[in-house]
Amino acid sequence: MWKHQNIGSLDDFFLKLKQRAVPGVYFYRVAVYSEQIDQWIRRYYEAARTRGVVIEGRIPNPDEKNLSYYYEMMGEEFLMNAGFFQERLKKWLPRLRTDKRAEMAGAIYDSLDALRRQGKNENMLKNAYIKYMCWLYYRFERVVNLLGEEDLPKILYEGEVSNYELLLLGVLSSVGCDIVLLEYQGDAAYQKLDPQERFSTALQMAGTSGFPAGYSLKKVREEQQKAQQLAQLIPQTTQVNATNTWITGKGFEDVLKEGYARGKDERFFYNCFCRIRGVEDRLTYTNELLRYYEELKGSGRKIQIFEHEIPAPTPEEISGIRRGNYQNREQMLMDLSRNLQKITDAEVRGLAVKALMELLLALPKEENLNRLTGKAVYLICWLLRYHTRLFADRRDRHELACVLYLGGCRTENEALFLRMLARMPSDVLILVPNRNETCLVEDKLLYEKNYEESLVVKSFPRGGRSVQVGTAAYHAERDLDQLLYQGTGMYRSMQFQRADALTLRTMYEEIPLLWDQEVKYRPGFSTTDQLVHIPVIYAKISGVKDGALDAYWRSIKGLLTEDTHLIQEGRLLDLSRPNPMKQYAVEFYKNGKLQRKHIKEHPKFPYSVLREETQECMLDALERVLNAKMIRGIGENGMEYTVIATALNLPKEIIRQIQKFDFTKKNPKLISIHTTEKPMALEDAIAIALLQQIGYDILFFVPTGYQTAEHYFQNSPMEEHQIGEYLYDLRTPDFSLVSAEDTAKGLIGKLFGRKR
């Protein structure tokens, strides 16, 4: 009889008998799952399908027809001895080898004898014997006929095995079969049948979990069939990539090596896929890049440089991709890949289709089909855009394009496109000199080289461009910046480029305390990367405390700092003058999106003289006002165009305030006083909503309690403080004649101050 042995690895199942460390058979049950186990199950399934038996669900009991044939051939006789079993097997399974017939007879006898010792009577033993014989003939004859060969036959059983099935599998194992039980629901049911584990061993591996819902051999088989269908659709190319198999690990030097010098086998093109993080020498890096570019250019290579991004496909490019409605990813890829027929070079086209399918089919199976379709469309758009520049008119099979990506690749689609190009006749070199940048490219083909030094490089130096090189002192200062201004609460002048306003909820008495304070000391202030979260005051003060006008005016006077813009009776903008941006507003907002690039490139853009960071800050604020629909009517009656026109026509003094605004210091302020029933103009309300989003502190003083800007607001974060009785028909004084009081005392002064 054959002894059960333990495996050293899953690959042991596929060793021939003489190759096994200890000759014997394997009988394992599998109730755990991992990607490695999944791949092994697929391989074992193929082995059982070609040289063995696959059981999906329980083995049916012999039916009336099966039993009738058995009795016709073998009769009713039954004797409980191995000789009888051997003689019957010779007649019932004539192709079974003589030596194996004796082993089989002995194994059947041992199995039935175990049942007899459990108390089974002779009739029960006879029924079990007939069941064994029928199963051997109708379900396992193929296995029986392979017994005794070096390549052991294999049985794969899916599901919860029954008692008699397990007994017969034990017989087959003991005469030379490898057996695997797949237990999707766990091992508990098996343990009830074989608590001492006499028949099989449970597979134990690190990093495993339970089987995923819906896993089955049927599903595995369907996936394999789909893969075979796709393999037939993927064009056969005369060359395949031998990526990085030849490199020395020197990065730049490897890419400069001529294609014909990289390898001789005509079946392959020898390309490079490499990422270099950090820089070897900050003082010389920029010059080295420039020299490297000139060498590449001088070699006649086709070069494509991406700086921190790959421009997204345009609406026109996307609309040019023919597509339909799809039921699964295979159907989608087969159909969309036909768009690559526009690539005239058949070899390049075949490699492109192959790379597209391989990469997208390797994505997680739970990936949303619509999202996957979007990825495929992006990849096809980019390839159709750049294929002529990279692969047109190739002189020979050794010619390789060169793609240089400067900066960390930040989107999944870009990462997929670079991985796709790395499977085509192209070197792909990703340069991440700033080690603080994240790069999403992950690939088994990718070679990575690391340096300790870090350097910010905004653009790739090349001929005809202004090249910037830093001195040792410059880089030392940048290092000092990292020590002093990163996570210390200290900030250098104009350190941050973008800001996001957070409205502070305060008591009325806290406003004078916070008003003239640097924003970095306010509750809720924080920074992330290049973005500052600014806590701002945004409130309406209704009524007059105790009806005391003198104290009321003095409290306002105490808030008029150097950076405070005061408007009276709601007049911020000069509405008597025409707004020149109204005629262009329609073209600046399409399909619910602000056309920022178009605005900045427009010849009439009024803020083009401002710092780039200031322009972006103002457009960020405008976008937030539009997206949050802070002004009533946005998206309904064309109000968005009025908002855009107003935002692009702010007063010069306001623009200058914004230009000098350092996001970590004192923020600009606006106080609006309303003493009459005259309503605020729509354009003024729009401007105020915009300024609040930029980071202004804004206070409305309304002794009447009437509505002001909130008449136009929707989804506005402004809060209101009711401080006293309403007073009407007041006249705002000349604040230069109003004596200021120590308003900073406020509630704190009242609570802890002493009477004199």
Side-chain angles (χ1 to χ4, degrees):
M1 295 298 176
W2 294 59
K3 290 186 178 181
H4 297 165
Q5 304 296 338
N6 293 327
I7 60 171
S9 72
L10 292 174
D11 290 336
D12 289 354
F13 272 95
F14 308 106
L15 296 175
K16 296 183 184 301
L17 184 60
K18 288 182 179 179
Q19 295 173 323
R20 300 186 177 187
V22 179
V25 295
Y26 305 131
F27 190 170
Y28 271 77
R29 60 189 189 277
V30 182
V32 292
Y33 176 85
S34 69
E35 288 293 332
Q36 182 185 1
I37 291 173
D38 175 63
Q39 294 303 313
W40 169 75
I41 289 174
R42 293 167 188 267
R43 185 180 175 190
Y44 191 89
Y45 169 78
E46 283 301 311
R49 190 178 63 83
T50 54
R51 280 187 58 81
V53 171
V54 177
I55 304 295
E56 298 179 61
R58 289 189 170 177
I59 307 171
N61 285 321
D63 59 21
E64 187 176 333
K65 186 176 180 181
N66 300 149
L67 293 172
S68 176
Y69 180 70
Y70 171 81
Y71 288 126
E72 181 182 339
M73 294 291 297
M74 310 297 292
E76 295 276 355
E77 188 178 4
F78 171 75
L79 296 176
M80 184 58 188
N81 66 69
F84 173 78
F85 297 151
Q86 186 172 350
E87 182 268 327
R88 292 296 170 146
L89 285 170
K90 180 178 181 180
K91 183 177 181 181
W92 185 242
L93 299 172
R95 291 195 294 168
L96 180 62
R97 285 172 34 174
T98 303
D99 56 333
K100 291 299 168 184
R101 188 185 308 135
E103 289 181 10
M104 178 79 74
I108 291 175
Y109 177 83
D110 289 345
S111 177
L112 295 177
D113 189 52
L115 289 174
R116 179 170 59 183
R117 291 196 300 272
Q118 294 173 12
K120 306 295 183 186
N121 59 38
E122 184 171 340
N123 191 51
M124 291 178 177
L125 297 178
K126 178 180 179 181
N127 289 337
Y129 160 74
I130 294 173
K131 182 176 289 190
Y132 286 178
M133 296 291 275
C134 287
W135 279 347
L136 287 170
Y137 182 83
Y138 289 108
R139 296 294 294 170
F140 294 101
E141 186 185 24
R142 183 183 186 188
V143 168
V144 167
N145 296 331
L146 294 172
L147 292 173
E149 298 184 9
E150 273 294 305
D151 191 359
L152 272 61
K154 302 198 168 9
I155 297 171
L156 180 60
Y157 185 101
E158 175 186 62
E160 293 185 359
V161 67
S162 68
N163 185 44
Y164 283 103
E165 287 174 328
L166 180 59
L167 292 173
L168 181 62
L169 291 176
V171 169
L172 291 169
S173 173
S174 65
V175 296
C177 288
D178 287 334
I179 301 176
V180 170
L181 305 179
L182 297 180
E183 301 177 316
Y184 303 145
Q185 306 304 319
D187 198 40
Y190 180 90
Q191 290 288 346
K192 293 178 181 178
L193 296 179
D194 182 22
Q196 283 79 40
E197 296 191 328
R198 293 184 303 109
F199 292 104
S200 68
T201 303
L203 180 67
Q204 303 288 341
M205 288 183 65
T208 60
S209 61
F211 278 91
Y215 191 93
S216 68
L217 291 177
K218 180 181 179 182
K219 189 174 180 180
V220 168
R221 187 165 55 251
E222 290 173 349
E223 289 176 359
Q224 289 177 333
Q225 290 172 349
K226 289 178 182 178
Q228 291 170 359
Q229 293 171 357
L230 283 171
Q232 295 172 357
L233 293 169
I234 296 175
Q236 296 300 310
T237 56
T238 57
Q239 278 190 314
V240 295
N241 56 306
T243 306
N244 291 349
T245 58
W246 54 276
I247 63 173
T248 63
K250 295 181 179 179
F252 290 114
E253 293 180 27
D254 286 330
V255 175
L256 286 173
K257 194 171 186 179
E258 294 287 348
Y260 63 82
R262 299 178 178 184
K264 302 298 183 183
D265 195 326
E266 292 295 316
R267 295 174 299 169
F268 304 104
F269 59 87
Y270 297 87
N271 67 328
C272 178
F273 187 22
C274 178
R275 174 169 56 209
I276 302 178
R277 287 185 181 273
V279 301
E280 188 172 13
D281 188 333
R282 291 188 292 181
L283 293 179
T284 62
Y285 183 77
T286 307
N287 280 340
E288 287 295 318
L289 278 190
L290 180 59
R291 179 192 62 79
Y292 181 68
Y293 171 76
E294 294 297 340
E295 285 193 52
L296 276 176
K297 189 176 178 183
S299 69
R301 300 269 298 273
K302 294 184 176 70
I303 305 170
Q304 174 62 49
I305 298 175
F306 298 114
E307 295 174 329
H308 303 283
E309 68 172 351
I310 302 173
T314 65
E316 292 74 20
E317 287 175 320
I318 292 174
S319 64
I321 303 300
R322 185 182 60 79
R323 56 188 142 166
N325 296 318
Y326 307 114
Q327 300 298 317
N328 53 59
R329 66 173 62 192
E330 293 79 13
Q331 182 189 26
M332 178 270 292
L333 289 172
M334 286 186 285
D335 184 56
L336 285 182
S337 63
R338 295 189 177 97
N339 288 280
L340 293 176
Q341 292 297 323
K342 297 174 184 177
I343 300 176
T344 54
D345 187 315
E347 182 73 9
V348 173
R349 182 173 64 248
L351 290 167
V353 173
K354 182 180 179 183
L356 176 73
M357 291 191 170
E358 285 180 353
L359 289 174
L360 294 186
L361 286 172
L363 291 176
K365 297 178 178 64
E366 60 271 15
E367 180 92 34
N368 179 275
L369 184 58
N370 288 333
R371 192 164 178 263
L372 190 68
T373 302
K375 292 181 189 298
V377 169
Y378 258 59
L379 296 181
I380 292 170
C381 285
W382 276 330
L383 193 59
L384 292 179
R385 181 196 294 172
Y386 295 112
H387 84 275
T388 302
R389 195 176 309 173
L390 292 171
F391 307 116
D393 304 319
R394 293 177 69 210
R395 295 187 298 270
D396 55 51
R397 301 161 70 90
H398 301 292
E399 182 178 347
L400 298 168
C402 185
V403 175
L404 302 170
Y405 189 104
L406 176 65
C409 188
R410 292 173 292 182
T411 73
E412 190 177 350
N413 287 341
E414 288 184 350
L416 279 170
F417 184 57
L418 294 180
R419 295 174 62 200
M420 185 176 180
L421 291 176
R423 287 158 170 78
M424 299 177 68
S426 172
D427 291 331
V428 177
L429 183 59
I430 304 171
L431 303 174
V432 191
N434 182 2
R435 292 184 58 84
N436 294 320
E437 285 192 84
T438 299
C439 184
L440 297 182
V441 178
E442 297 294 338
D443 197 298
K444 63 183 179 181
L445 298 180
L446 181 67
Y447 175 79
E448 182 145 14
K449 190 174 181 67
N450 287 280
Y451 293 105
E452 293 299 320
E453 298 286 335
S454 187
L455 180 67
V456 175
V457 181
K458 294 185 177 180
S459 60
F460 196 98
R462 60 188 103 169
R465 279 194 174 192
S466 175
V467 179
Q468 296 178 328
V469 180
T471 64
Y474 170 84
H475 290 300
E477 184 184 37
R478 298 282 75 77
D479 291 340
L480 188 60
D481 279 354
Q482 292 290 320
L483 291 174
L484 289 178
Y485 304 124
Q486 297 296 325
T488 64
M490 298 172 60
Y491 306 100
R492 68 172 182 269
S493 180
M494 298 295 184
Q495 178 175 341
F496 294 95
Q497 300 176 1
R498 311 290 277 271
D500 185 18
L502 310 174
T503 302
L504 272 176
R505 297 296 181 189
T506 71
M507 295 174 61
Y508 167 67
E509 288 80 2
E510 291 180 287
I511 292 174
L513 298 172
L514 298 168
W515 186 255
D516 201 29
Q517 190 179 62
E518 290 189 0
V519 294
K520 66 183 177 182
Y521 299 123
R522 293 179 175 179
F525 175 85
S526 65
T527 62
T528 55
D529 195 16
Q530 288 301 310
L531 179 67
V532 184
H533 300 285
I534 304 175
V536 300
I537 297 169
Y538 188 34
K540 174 184 176 182
I541 315 299
S542 295
V544 177
K545 190 168 186 178
D546 301 325
L549 275 178
D550 288 344
Y552 181 71
W553 299 127
R554 284 198 304 271
S555 68
I556 297 175
K557 172 67 178 285
L559 299 174
L560 297 180
T561 66
E562 181 183 348
D563 291 324
T564 303
H565 190 86
L566 176 66
I567 60 176
Q568 301 181 41
E569 305 311 329
R571 290 296 173 260
L572 173 60
L573 307 179
D574 184 357
L575 301 181
S576 64
R577 300 177 61 183
N579 184 340
M581 301 308 296
K582 277 188 176 181
Q583 59 184 310
Y584 308 115
V586 174
E587 55 187 281
F588 293 158
Y589 191 80
K590 293 183 178 179
N591 300 321
K593 290 186 178 180
L594 187 68
Q595 306 299 303
R596 296 173 66 128
K597 184 178 179 183
H598 182 48
I599 291 173
K600 293 178 68 174
E601 293 175 351
H602 197 277
K604 297 296 184 180
F605 180 48
Y607 306 145
S608 58
V609 297
L610 301 179
R611 292 184 302 119
E612 183 72 23
E613 293 85 352
T614 303
Q615 296 179 35
E616 292 297 328
C617 174
M618 297 181 71
L619 291 176
D620 284 345
L622 173 56
E623 204 160 45
R624 287 195 291 269
V625 170
L626 292 170
N627 292 344
K629 298 183 178 179
M630 292 183 184
I631 305 298
R632 297 182 190 279
I634 290 178
E636 298 174 4
N637 55 15
M639 179 62 71
E640 57 270 23
Y641 305 120
T642 303
V643 172
I644 293 169
T646 302
L648 297 178
N649 190 44
L650 296 178
K652 184 182 295 184
E653 59 271 24
I654 293 290
I655 297 302
R656 289 176 177 175
Q657 262 191 330
I658 299 171
Q659 167 82 350
K660 71 174 185 176
F661 179 21
D662 188 331
F663 298 141
T664 63
K665 297 182 171 56
K666 291 182 180 181
N667 57 333
K669 304 166 193 310
L670 184 145
I671 292 178
S672 180
I673 303 175
H674 302 259
T675 61
T676 69
E677 299 177 4
K678 191 173 183 179
M680 175 177 273
L682 167 63
E683 289 80 359
D684 286 330
I686 292 171
I688 286 171
L690 185 76
L691 296 180
Q692 189 271 338
Q693 287 296 308
I694 288 173
Y696 272 62
D697 284 338
I698 296 175
L699 288 177
F700 294 92
F701 281 92
V702 190
T704 63
Y706 290 151
Q707 285 200 26
T708 55
E710 68 266 35
H711 175 73
Y712 304 104
F713 289 163
Q714 177 175 266
N715 304 323
S716 171
M718 183 174 68
E719 64 175 344
E720 183 175 5
H721 298 286
Q722 297 284 348
I723 66 168
E725 62 181 294
Y726 296 149
L727 298 181
Y728 305 96
D729 302 320
L730 301 181
R731 302 185 74 175
T732 306
D734 181 349
F735 283 101
S736 64
L737 302 177
V738 175
S739 62
E741 65 177 1
D742 186 5
T743 55
K745 284 186 178 180
L747 181 61
I748 306 301
K750 291 179 180 180
L751 290 175
F752 301 106
R754 290 190 304 171
K755 292 186 178 180
R756 294 176 180 255

